[in-house]
Amino acid sequence: MAKQGSIFLRFRNFDAYAKTLDDFRVKTTTGALVTTISALIIGFLMLSEFFAYRTPTWQTELVVDKSRKEKLPIHFNITFPKMPCHMLTLDVMDDAGAHISGYTHNVFKVRLDLAGQQIQIEKAHKLGDLSSGADLALQEEPSCGSCYGAKSIREDGCCNTCAEVREAYVRMGWGFGDPEQIDQCLREGWREKIENQSNEGCNIHGELLVNKVRGNFHIAPGQSFRHSHMHIHDLNQYMKGTLNGHTFDMSHTIHSLKFGPDGPDADTAAALTVQNPLAGVVKQTTEARIVYQYFLKIVSTKLQPIEGSPIYTNQYSFTQNERTLAPEVAGLPGVFFNMDISPMLIIYQEVQSTFTSFLTGALAIIGGIFTVAGLIDRVMYRAERTFRKKVGLGKTL
């Protein structure tokens, strides 16, 4: 029994927290103040540490993008206050050889009055060809109409509407001249429809699906076509300058331009990435022969939340340039978006702290505050004792 008692006595020598006798403990007002302040600081820091533990954070990583063969969705919304819808054409071309003139799939044009109020919204190909009277023309003129030397888009070789003549001209690479010389256009009142829409603006919006390679898409006046491997626009009406007192120019407002899927996860992606930096850009001009160019650097982005499927999107930066074409210089006025695809992929990984890291932080807070508070209390206590001794000896003023 005595041997067991001696073992416990020896074990006490390992106590790193030796206790002082209560008779030698001195409680002071400054010590109480330091203890209270320390407790408040510990409580505040512990609460902050808990919130940090419960709040996920996003970590970024940069890797090589391996999804180069995928398609790239583009969502856009642009308003042209001084351009009628029937005069605007959307074209897409890229370094992979894709060349789409008059892109219309999932693209809508909204006719606007001079006050910017909506007049009519339809699919781009329906509004752009001004062929609302085509059915009536077919009933009145069932015979085979002439294509005026062009190759018809129909199997029977006929061009019974003004729009069919126009498409036949485009297929041949010809500019569409004066509609007054085309019987179909006269019968459908083509000139009157153009003049009725001359004092209008246009909002064009929708979604493009393009190859994920370097290229451009642009919105320019006139019907577009290819001739001898060249991209050409029929600018006959646009370069006349005015029609019914309305001046044509490429002034525009970009409401939005985003790359990537637009779904319920778009808000999460928008909070972390730069998805729509061109939103709100306004350009105004009085020049007809002006080119607006936006050079876009697009970077693929992946967001991996703690729960749920990964979100794939794109962010981009841009530079811009505008220039007026001299009369003797060939060029196409319009708004051009030149896309350069980065070979890198940014990954945002959502992470949450573990309980062990929270516990480590909590112990560090408590231990650190108590240690510092102890030092402060010791200094204040010694300073107070020294001061009292000087008072007792009458050495203070």
Side-chain angles (χ1 to χ4, degrees):
M1 197 66 182
K3 186 176 181 180
Q4 184 178 3
S6 63
I7 293 175
F8 281 115
L9 289 175
R10 293 179 181 177
F11 185 70
R12 290 179 182 179
N13 294 329
F14 292 99
D15 187 2
Y17 305 97
K19 284 68 175 181
T20 58
L21 296 176
D22 292 340
D23 295 340
F24 293 96
R25 291 185 178 179
V26 179
K27 295 186 178 181
T28 62
T29 303
T30 55
L33 180 62
V34 170
T35 302
T36 303
I37 295 175
S38 301
L40 292 175
I41 295 176
I42 289 174
F44 173 75
L45 293 180
M46 286 291 293
L47 196 61
S48 301
E49 185 72 12
F50 177 75
F51 284 133
Y53 161 66
R54 296 296 300 170
T55 304
T57 59
W58 293 89
Q59 296 180 352
T60 58
E61 181 184 2
L62 191 64
V63 299
V64 176
D65 185 12
K66 299 179 181 179
S67 60
R68 306 289 286 178
K69 295 183 179 180
E70 296 180 357
K71 292 289 186 178
L72 178 64
I74 305 174
H75 301 269
F76 67 97
N77 188 337
I78 307 174
T79 294
F80 296 85
K82 295 183 180 180
M83 286 296 299
C85 284
H86 69 85
M87 291 186 64
L88 291 175
T89 303
L90 173 62
D91 304 318
V92 178
M93 55 190 68
D94 59 42
D95 288 356
H99 188 129
I100 305 176
S101 298
Y103 193 107
T104 59
H105 184 67
N106 287 336
V107 175
F108 298 86
K109 291 180 178 179
V110 182
R111 292 170 53 194
L112 306 173
D113 59 23
L114 294 181
Q117 299 299 314
Q118 177 177 321
I119 299 175
Q120 181 184 6
I121 177 172
E122 289 191 33
K123 287 296 293 294
H125 69 281
K126 293 183 178 179
L127 194 59
D129 60 15
L130 294 168
S131 58
S132 58
D135 294 338
L136 180 61
L138 287 173
Q139 295 177 5
E140 295 178 352
E141 193 70 29
S143 60
C144 182
S146 172
C147 295
Y148 300 89
K151 184 178 180 181
S152 174
I153 61 174
R154 295 166 42 145
E155 294 182 357
D156 58 8
C158 302
C159 294
N160 288 344
T161 67
C162 186
E164 291 177 355
V165 177
R166 191 182 187 194
E167 290 294 331
Y169 272 49
V170 169
R171 174 173 291 190
M172 296 295 294
W174 300 347
F176 191 65
D178 186 4
E180 296 294 329
Q181 304 299 321
I182 308 297
D183 291 339
Q184 293 89 329
C185 298
L186 287 174
R187 186 167 63 249
E188 297 173 12
W190 181 278
R191 172 63 64 181
E192 290 76 10
K193 293 175 183 177
I194 292 178
E195 292 179 352
N196 289 338
Q197 295 187 19
S198 63
N199 290 291
E200 294 181 1
C202 185
N203 170 265
I204 179 169
H205 64 275
E207 178 183 355
L208 306 177
L209 194 61
V210 302
N211 295 321
K212 197 173 181 180
V213 296
R214 186 174 62 178
N216 80 81
F217 68 95
H218 58 265
I219 302 174
Q223 183 75 20
S224 62
F225 54 90
R226 296 191 69 181
H227 182 66
S228 299
H229 304 288
M230 294 188 298
H231 182 75
I232 301 174
H233 280 244
D234 182 5
L235 301 177
N236 184 39
Q237 292 181 0
Y238 181 75
M239 297 312 298
K240 288 181 180 179
T242 61
L243 189 62
N244 285 351
H246 182 66
T247 303
F248 297 141
D249 62 58
M250 297 305 294
S251 299
H252 61 278
T253 299
I254 302 176
H255 304 292
S256 66
L257 179 64
K258 299 180 181 180
F259 297 85
D262 189 15
D265 297 323
D267 293 339
T268 302
L272 296 171
T273 59
V274 185
Q275 285 192 302
N276 197 16
L278 275 173
V281 171
V282 178
K283 296 294 183 179
Q284 294 182 343
T285 183
T286 57
E287 300 287 339
R289 293 176 57 86
I290 190 168
V291 181
Y292 294 99
Q293 293 179 305
Y294 298 95
F295 300 92
L296 314 177
K297 186 69 173 182
I298 304 170
V299 182
S300 301
T301 305
K302 175 184 176 182
L303 289 83
Q304 181 62 66
I306 295 176
E307 298 180 356
S309 302
I311 304 170
Y312 293 92
T313 183
N314 298 272
Q315 52 185 326
Y316 70 94
S317 60
F318 74 94
T319 56
Q320 54 185 317
N321 178 56
E322 58 185 81
R323 61 189 177 93
T324 302
L325 300 172
E328 66 277 4
V329 176
L332 175 64
V335 179
F336 291 75
F337 298 93
N338 302 285
M339 303 175 296
D340 187 13
I341 310 297
S342 171
M344 307 306 293
L345 169 68
I346 300 178
I347 300 177
Y348 290 83
Q349 180 77 35
E350 189 179 24
V351 296
Q352 189 169 20
S353 300
T354 61
F355 179 75
T356 55
S357 64
F358 166 72
L359 188 60
T360 303
L363 294 177
I365 290 172
I366 296 173
I369 296 298
F370 265 115
T371 301
V372 174
L375 293 174
I376 295 174
D377 177 64
R378 196 173 299 118
V379 171
M380 294 178 66
Y381 177 66
R382 289 181 179 178
E384 184 180 2
R385 288 184 61 187
T386 302
F387 180 76
R388 286 180 179 179
K389 285 180 179 181
K390 289 183 178 181
V391 171
L393 297 174
K395 294 184 179 182
T396 57
L397 297 177

